[in-house]
Amino acid sequence: MHFFKEPLVRTPRADPKNVASIILGGGAGTRLFPLTSKRAKPAVPIGGCYRLIDIPMSNCINSGIRKIFILTQFNSFSLNRHLSRTYNFGNGVNFGDGFVEVLAATQTSGDAGKKWFQGTADAVRQFMWVFEDAKTKNVEHVLILSGDHLYRMDYMNFVQKHIESNADITVSCLPMDESRASDYGLLKIDESGQIVQFSEKPKGDDLKAMQVDTSVLGLPPKEAAELPYIASMGVYVFRKEVLLKLLRSSYPTSNDFGSEIIPLAVKEHNVQAFLFNDYWEDIGTIGSFFDANLALTEQPPKFQFYDPKTPFFTSPRFLPPTKVDKCRIIDSIVSHGCFLRECSVQHSIVGVRSRVESGVELKDTMMMGADFYQTEAEIASLLAEGKVPIGVGENTKIRNCIIDKNAKIGKNVVIANADDVEEGDRPEDGFYIRSGITVVLKNATIRDGLVL
């Protein structure tokens, strides 16, 4: 939504066929480690049955945008498999003349080609040649999206505002309070919505200097007083030729959009602000990822994946309904294909194909589930040999925890971080602690009776 005055002459409706999206899959994903130790960041599971990539992908599809590039720092089998199952072929969403291309950082000729992506802008620069391709010849506007945000947005409203204001670049932004403002790139705008100043993560007096009257954007006075900053969401739309010029000739050594390209472009280009005043969360750290997942369980939730007009898509797994036997489930989300027996689940997310045995207590926990089932016979023989099957064994108590895919957690285990450790590395025991949250690794085994 935007609140600037409408121009007197109607501009043509933005056509999604002339728009391409570039989804930035993030760097090596160090802030989300260890969830990113074996997978690219866009492939990290969220909300029980989705992956991070489903958020910008679904927003693109619901906006009618069908030309999509996904840039990832390293190739990821699980990301490619998920995309091909969900978005590329006949059993997923039908794309017609559109495409989804994964562009993984690769070595190319010359010195620049021997380096990993040096930042968001450098990642796009290394793949500029895709815009000289026949299938992108009609592209006029390029959307730059992040792969680690949780929000629902019609990008064509954003592109329409971009066209109407005759902008070279438009930055999607949110009103923000003081407590969080210094974590973001902040903007100052004039009365027409043009950005006149951009400051990346300012602190102290520099932060105070970025205060603006957000009622100009149409916020009611009370809300404007509480939210005196405008923060960039890291979601941009560029005119294609402007993007090519900025990356190739104007600023060939600038590697990041937020901290370098946009602040420099503000000086000599028409860079406009677009107000997005709805739920948006950066889920790029373990703490924010954990909080955003558990917030999905609240009533009413600030954000939900289901909406009849703008559904979020994911892999069609064709799993059976979940089976629940004498369980106590409060404020939780249970995904497809799970088996829950006489357990207690509170303020938690239980991912696809999860097996939770009797006497288990899950609280404030995000369990990602499993990629495959073990048969009853396999489970019985593992237990008979004193081994641990996938899932959570009897009488185990878990709280404040992220359990990655295919984890094998034994019987009588306690995962509670009773010593309130903030950061800890115990990969040999199958877990890390980040921001006080225990993260059980993918495919890890936590043996019977272990207390963490």
Side-chain angles (χ1 to χ4, degrees), residues 16 33 42 65 79 88 135 138 155 163 175-176 194-195 261 270 275 286 288 319 322 326 369 452:
F33 182 86
I65 295 166
L79 175 65
N88 269 4
K135 61 186 178 183
N138 297 327
Y155 296 133
I163 293 169
M176 184 74 68
Q194 184 165 340
I195 297 169
I261 299 281
N270 179 8
L275 181 75
I286 290 290
S288 60
L319 292 171
T322 283
K326 300 192 189 74
L452 309 183

Side-chain angles (χ1 to χ4, degrees), residues 88 115 205 261 265 268 276 297 313 367 371 401 417 423:
N88 269 4
K115 300 191 184 98
D205 290 343
I261 299 281
E268 45 195 79
F276 177 76
T297 67
F313 303 100
M367 184 172 179
D371 291 317
C401 183
N417 189 12
E423 306 289 323

Side-chain angles (χ1 to χ4, degrees), residues 106 148 155 174 213 224 230 268 297-298 302 361 405 410 449:
T106 49
D148 53 3
Y155 296 133
L174 327 132
D213 177 7
I230 305 172
E268 45 195 79
T297 67
E298 290 163 8
K302 293 188 189 76
E361 291 175 18
K405 287 271 189 86

